[in-house]
Amino acid sequence: MPHPSAEQFGTSWAAAERKVIARARLRVGALVGLAVTALVTLVGGIAYGMLVHGQEQQIDRELRYTASRGNPSGPPGCTWLFLRGGGEPPDATASGPQDAAVAALQTAGVPAPAGFPLRQVMETVAATGIEQVTRVERNGTVYFVLTQPRGGDTIQAVFDARYHLADRRHLLLALSITEGIGLLAALASGMVVGWLTVAPLAEALARQRRFIADASHELRTPIAQVHTRAQVLARRARNGNGNIPSEYAADLDRLVGTTRQLGEVVDDLLLSARLGAAPADRASDAPVDLAAIVEDAVLAESDRAQEYGVVIALDRSAGPLPVAGVSSALRRVVSELLTNALRHSRPGGRIDVAVCRTAVGDTIELTVADTGDGFDPDERIFDRFHRGAGSDRLHIGLGLALLREVVTAHRGTIEAAGHPGAGAKFTVRLPAAVALSDQGSWACTTPATTRLRSTC
């Protein structure tokens, strides 16, 4: 089963906000463009339909006028007349248009098109006396044919609509060009409208981030003072100093823990707001020694690990492992990983911490593996304010969600692997700030004898 990564559980607040704003702008722009395009298409369709309807009416009028009043010796242009005498029987052996049965009249010396007249239609009209209108596609064009009785004879008028069809094609081409230009203009105007429409949303989100940052910054000092005062009172209650009864010590210890958690929430909110508000400041150009940060974090957690009865083992390269980033933010990543491992470890458990350079040489890898409670692979552990099931040391805060933000802000990745009751392993990969050839060979595949190992 593939290990869940931070990307699978979503992105940071700032990234999610940018995606929402971008989608909203695109959606508004697309709707405006679609509306304008539909309007242009509707107008073009109406214009084309009116043209076709007008042409067909004109053709019908010309055919009827020619058939009823046209001069057989000279029909109008693009029109041919065929006359069948009423008392003449049809000649089945006739093969040409001008025979004893049907006289084909020419227009200005232009011969009749091949396939005309339509003899069967003329015979039917002669027999029934009912006119017929026929549409024939032949010779690369369309002919409209009107056959009707005239006096005691039968006449057939043929109209060539090639020029009308050319007008239709020209109109369609003009409408297509207009449609394309209109679509581009609609998309451009839609994007502008979308930008102007979503601008207040973007401003509101930016103000929200600024409020979180300002409020968190202002709350840090009073919370720190309350936490310090609670520690002093708890120490006095435990030592029997002052007028604080010793039975209050447990409540004061819980107060210390609560104020510490409150401080962590405020710090998390402040760091998250800073990451979202200033993307350009997420990772500085100055290299930071991740190995030193990890070692300091392990030493800082050694007392708490001893209190929990958990062993922390550090395995690191003998030299520095520089990454491009912000020292305080990366320190928070390591601290959160260790805190999470301690929180879910039982007495007698073990936490293995390793930091090294990958064999490729362009990535620094940090792993934190514990033998604690583990988690369900389908659990969304990178969601904000997530609280794992079955933990007896509840933690309220942004936790792993903020860790994910910091790692992705440093162009890194984080993966988590674990199963209930089988422990958990977190792997963080960050781009190395210095090429492998400049810093020596401290790859993750290097034998353990060449690396420093300490047990806390």
Side-chain angles (χ1 to χ4, degrees):
M1 179 179 296
H3 302 326
S5 63
E7 289 76 4
Q8 293 174 290
F9 296 104
T11 54
S12 64
W13 274 358
E17 289 172 1
R18 288 193 294 272
K19 288 184 177 180
V20 170
I21 293 173
R23 283 198 299 266
R25 286 171 177 164
L26 289 176
R27 187 176 294 111
V28 173
L31 290 176
V32 173
L34 182 61
V36 175
T37 302
L39 180 61
V40 173
T41 303
L42 177 62
V43 172
I46 293 175
Y48 184 79
M50 293 179 63
L51 174 65
V52 172
H53 181 69
Q55 287 181 342
E56 290 181 350
Q57 285 188 330
Q58 178 188 2
I59 293 172
D60 184 72
R61 286 195 301 269
E62 291 187 4
L63 282 175
R64 293 189 179 279
Y65 181 84
T66 302
S68 61
R69 302 181 183 180
N71 187 352
S73 62
C78 298
T79 305
W80 292 266
L81 286 176
F82 301 90
L83 181 64
R84 177 188 181 279
E88 299 175 350
D91 185 359
T93 62
S95 59
Q98 301 196 29
D99 53 29
V102 179
L105 305 179
Q106 298 183 357
T107 301
V110 178
F116 290 97
L118 303 180
R119 300 176 181 278
Q120 184 63 41
V121 176
M122 295 186 73
E123 297 303 329
T124 302
V125 172
T128 62
I130 301 175
E131 72 173 33
Q132 289 189 18
V133 178
T134 311
R135 187 177 185 273
V136 180
E137 295 185 9
R138 185 178 297 173
N139 305 325
T141 184
V142 176
Y143 298 96
F144 291 86
V145 182
L146 173 62
T147 308
Q148 66 179 13
R150 190 167 83 171
D153 301 327
T154 302
I155 193 167
Q156 186 174 87
V158 179
F159 183 86
D160 186 355
R162 67 177 69 241
Y163 296 111
H164 293 73
L165 297 178
D167 291 341
R168 297 180 188 179
R169 289 193 295 268
H170 294 159
L171 178 60
L172 287 177
L173 178 60
L175 290 176
S176 300
I177 295 175
T178 304
E179 181 79 13
I181 297 175
L183 178 59
L184 294 178
L187 291 177
S189 61
M191 294 302 296
V192 173
V193 172
W195 184 276
L196 296 177
T197 303
V198 181
L201 174 61
E203 178 63 22
L205 293 175
R207 289 181 179 180
Q208 181 188 57
R209 286 193 298 267
R210 287 195 296 269
F211 170 77
I212 293 175
D214 294 341
S216 301
H217 185 271
E218 294 298 327
L219 287 174
R220 292 181 71 185
T221 299
I223 291 176
Q225 293 175 348
V226 172
H227 180 66
T228 301
R229 185 60 179 170
Q231 286 180 313
V232 172
L233 294 177
R235 190 178 302 111
R236 288 180 179 178
R238 285 194 301 269
N239 297 334
N241 299 333
N243 298 324
I244 302 177
S246 58
E247 56 267 23
Y248 291 164
D251 292 335
L252 289 173
D253 287 337
R254 284 193 291 270
L255 178 61
V256 171
T258 301
T259 55
R260 182 178 64 250
Q261 291 177 347
L262 183 58
E264 290 175 353
V265 172
V266 173
D267 290 340
D268 288 349
L269 289 173
L270 180 59
L271 180 56
S272 177
R274 287 176 176 174
L275 289 173
D281 298 334
R282 295 177 186 177
S284 65
D285 295 332
V288 179
D289 185 5
L290 184 61
I293 292 177
V294 172
E295 186 171 358
D296 292 341
V298 170
L299 292 176
E301 295 290 346
S302 59
D303 292 339
R304 184 154 58 142
Q306 185 176 3
E307 177 185 350
Y308 290 167
V310 178
V311 175
I312 301 181
L314 172 63
D315 194 1
R316 55 155 293 184
S317 300
L321 295 175
V323 297
V326 180
S327 177
S328 59
L330 294 175
R331 188 177 297 110
R332 190 58 185 274
V333 170
V334 181
S335 175
E336 178 61 33
L337 287 175
L338 293 175
T339 300
N340 181 75
L342 286 171
R343 188 185 313 125
H344 296 282
S345 295
R346 304 293 179 180
R350 179 184 178 89
I351 300 175
D352 291 308
V353 182
V355 57
C356 57
R357 188 189 295 266
T358 61
V360 177
D362 58 354
T363 303
I364 305 299
E365 183 177 281
L366 166 66
T367 59
V368 178
D370 61 70
T371 58
D373 299 330
F375 61 90
D376 190 330
D378 296 330
E379 192 174 352
R380 300 179 64 87
I381 60 175
F382 288 102
D383 282 356
R384 286 174 176 266
F385 300 103
H386 173 80
R387 182 179 300 180
S391 174
D392 59 352
R393 300 188 184 104
L394 297 180
H395 174 72
I396 302 175
L398 304 182
L400 296 177
L402 179 63
L403 181 151
R404 177 198 62 199
E405 287 192 28
V406 175
V407 171
T408 54
H410 286 76
R411 299 181 299 278
T413 61
I414 177 172
E415 295 179 354
H419 292 277
K425 179 180 180 180
F426 290 85
T427 303
V428 176
R429 297 182 179 87
L430 297 170
V434 183
L436 179 61
S437 59
D438 298 332
Q439 288 292 325
S441 178
W442 309 313
C444 294
T445 55
T446 305
T449 55
T450 64
R451 295 180 293 191
L452 174 63
R453 184 175 182 85
S454 60
T455 303
C456 303

